Amino acid sequence: MAKKVAILTGGGDCPGLNAVIRAVTLKLTRAGYEMVGVRGGWRGLMENDYMPLDIKSISGILHRGGTILGTSRTNPMKTEGGVELLVDNLRQKEIWATIAIGGDDTLGVANQLHGKYALNMVGVPKTIDNDLSGTDYTFGFDTAVQIATENIDRLHTTAESHDRVIVVEIMGRHTGWITIMAGIAGGADVILIPEYDISVEETCDIIRRRQSGDKSFSIVAVSEGAKLVTREGEEQMVTQSDEVDAFGNVKLGGVASLLAKEIERRTGFETRATVLGHIQRGGTPTAHDRILATRYGAKAAEMVQNEEFGLMAALQGDAIVAVPLQVAVGERKVVRQEFWDLAQTFFA
Ligand code: F6P
């Protein structure tokens, strides 16, 4: 009888998920395994919500954003009896191995299910935030950077026409990877990210210096997770509410609007705020992300075939390798000093 392999996508969606599903399904189906798609991440395993996956069902999905399986932020570890139910369901349905495509939350669960319950788990690193350790890049990140850069380009022309400062808020949760890369690529005049503090006063000074020269507009790129810091050392992380999700994540958002008000109040320059939001996660993946996701999918399939569990496919240099899930979820990967130094070179 063919061994059954389940595949799920958890956490926030991102471009390239379907490319992974396609690569895994193609390779494993051809190798004689039976593929099962789990709907809605870990929720689907708790509720036995599956869809069959075969060569036909993955046709035409390579370039499509989102995930054909659906996703959720359900955490079985935080659901009463959730893990027991999930383990029972896997046994009853005779699912031999599970491939979890996700960020630190989803892969954290996979790591625990492997370590504590001896389940056969393989991980694939997904997130636009690029904050997973053990891999140089996650897929989805390149697309998000591309989208944010295109939007910064667009904001330039309107800011210039109106002699305005525009503050653009970019996703990334507690790391500034998307903001710093898109800020450098898009030529932002000030960049604020969670990893390195730059005060509101300093931000205003940079804008003043720039606008006292031959420029009458400025673009400020700010990460949603960047703290508003004053010279006196006051700090504020801006959230939409006090709510947290099942993994303890706060809902970030609103920093651009606060910063824009402060810039206008302190400098007198007309200032607007733009929030890119989920635009950064939607739509078709870049060619780079399609290739990276396909390579990850092929590696995950190979790991299942070789019975290498408790591991995640990862990019190191130009090689796709396997690293322990524990490494991936152990420590948040933050923006390196080298990128921060580079970004600062271009502040006025
Ligand atoms: O982790 C990906 C991400 O897009 C973050 O950058 C952002 O903070 C968060 O998810 C938004 O989550 P949601 O889609 O639940 O609003």
Side-chain angles (χ1 to χ4, degrees):
M1 210 175 71
K3 279 180 174 161
K4 262 194 217 171
V5 178
I7 183 164
L8 63 86
T9 53
D13 73 326
C14 88
L17 285 165
N18 288 327
V20 181
I21 297 166
R22 170 179 174 267
V24 168
T25 305
L26 197 87
K27 273 203 90 165
L28 288 182
T29 306
R30 284 194 179 150
Y33 293 81
E34 183 184 335
M35 288 301 300
V36 184
V38 181
R39 285 204 179 91
W42 297 118
R43 180 195 58 75
L45 276 188
M46 283 159 48
E47 295 176 2
N48 275 332
D49 190 359
Y50 307 113
M51 64 184 264
L53 276 180
D54 53 22
I55 306 274
K56 203 165 157 228
S57 55
I58 52 153
S59 161
I61 66 168
L62 172 63
H63 64 286
R64 274 172 57 189
T67 161
I68 59 164
L69 298 175
T71 185
S72 75
R73 294 197 192 275
T74 303
N75 183 355
M77 305 288 168
K78 287 283 157 68
T79 312
E80 182 81 33
V83 179
E84 292 68 22
L85 190 62
L86 186 154
V87 172
D88 240 39
N89 288 344
L90 284 174
R91 287 219 177 96
Q92 267 180 29
K93 296 286 169 195
E94 296 177 332
I95 294 173
W96 173 69
T98 303
I99 297 176
I101 314 172
D104 52 349
D105 295 335
T106 305
L107 297 183
V109 172
N111 184 41
Q112 291 196 55
L113 291 175
H114 174 75
K116 289 193 192 156
Y117 299 87
L119 295 180
N120 295 337
M121 293 280 153
V122 165
V124 177
K126 161 246 66 157
T127 167
I128 62 164
D129 303 338
N130 197 38
D131 57 355
L132 271 177
S133 290
T135 186
D136 292 351
Y137 291 100
T138 52
F139 73 84
F141 171 64
D142 183 68
T143 308
V145 170
Q146 181 66 29
I147 294 168
T149 304
E150 278 168 22
N151 280 283
I152 292 176
D153 289 348
R154 286 175 190 278
L155 292 171
H156 260 106
T157 61
T158 173
E160 187 168 12
S161 304
H162 286 265
D163 293 342
R164 280 176 177 159
V165 176
I166 296 191
V167 182
V168 53
E169 182 173 310
I170 296 173
M171 276 187 172
R173 207 158 252 159
H174 302 295
T175 61
W177 283 107
I178 311 174
T179 308
I180 199 140
M181 295 304 195
I184 293 170
D189 304 299
V190 191
I191 299 172
L192 290 93
I193 58 173
E195 291 89 338
Y196 303 91
D197 286 347
I198 168 159
S199 70
V200 175
E201 291 89 346
E202 228 175 311
T203 303
C204 292
D205 286 346
I206 294 168
I207 295 169
R208 278 194 206 96
R209 277 203 296 277
R210 182 179 147 81
Q211 309 219 164
S212 68
D214 61 342
K215 299 289 184 195
S216 56
F217 71 97
S218 297
I219 300 291
V220 178
V222 60
S223 291
E224 59 177 0
K227 294 182 287 298
L228 279 194
V229 181
T230 62
R231 250 179 210 148
E232 293 72 46
E234 284 166 37
E235 285 188 4
Q236 186 185 3
M237 195 173 75
V238 189
T239 58
Q240 292 182 43
S241 69
D242 294 337
E243 261 176 69
V244 290
D245 68 15
F247 290 92
N249 299 307
V250 289
K251 234 190 229 168
L252 294 166
V255 66
S257 164
L258 274 190
L259 182 58
K261 280 193 193 112
E262 277 304 306
I263 292 172
E264 186 164 293
R265 188 175 70 78
R266 289 166 190 249
T267 64
F269 298 133
E270 191 180 19
T271 307
R272 295 284 190 271
T274 297
V275 180
L276 299 187
H278 293 83
I279 299 276
Q280 294 156 102
R281 288 219 316 246
T284 186
T286 56
H288 178 276
D289 272 339
R290 292 182 205 189
I291 294 164
L292 184 59
T294 299
R295 291 179 80 194
Y296 281 153
K299 180 69 179 178
E302 192 185 298
M303 282 150 73
V304 167
Q305 288 175 282
N306 295 339
E307 305 193 12
E308 293 171 332
F309 299 117
L311 301 173
M312 176 188 87
L315 179 73
Q316 289 182 357
D318 196 35
I320 301 288
V321 298
V323 298
L325 277 167
Q326 183 59 45
V327 169
V329 300
E331 203 179 304
R332 186 181 291 151
K333 185 179 70 196
V334 296
V335 172
R336 294 195 301 276
Q337 181 78 42
E338 142 197 13
F339 288 112
W340 179 237
D341 291 345
L342 178 66
Q344 280 179 300
T345 312
F346 299 95
F347 297 176

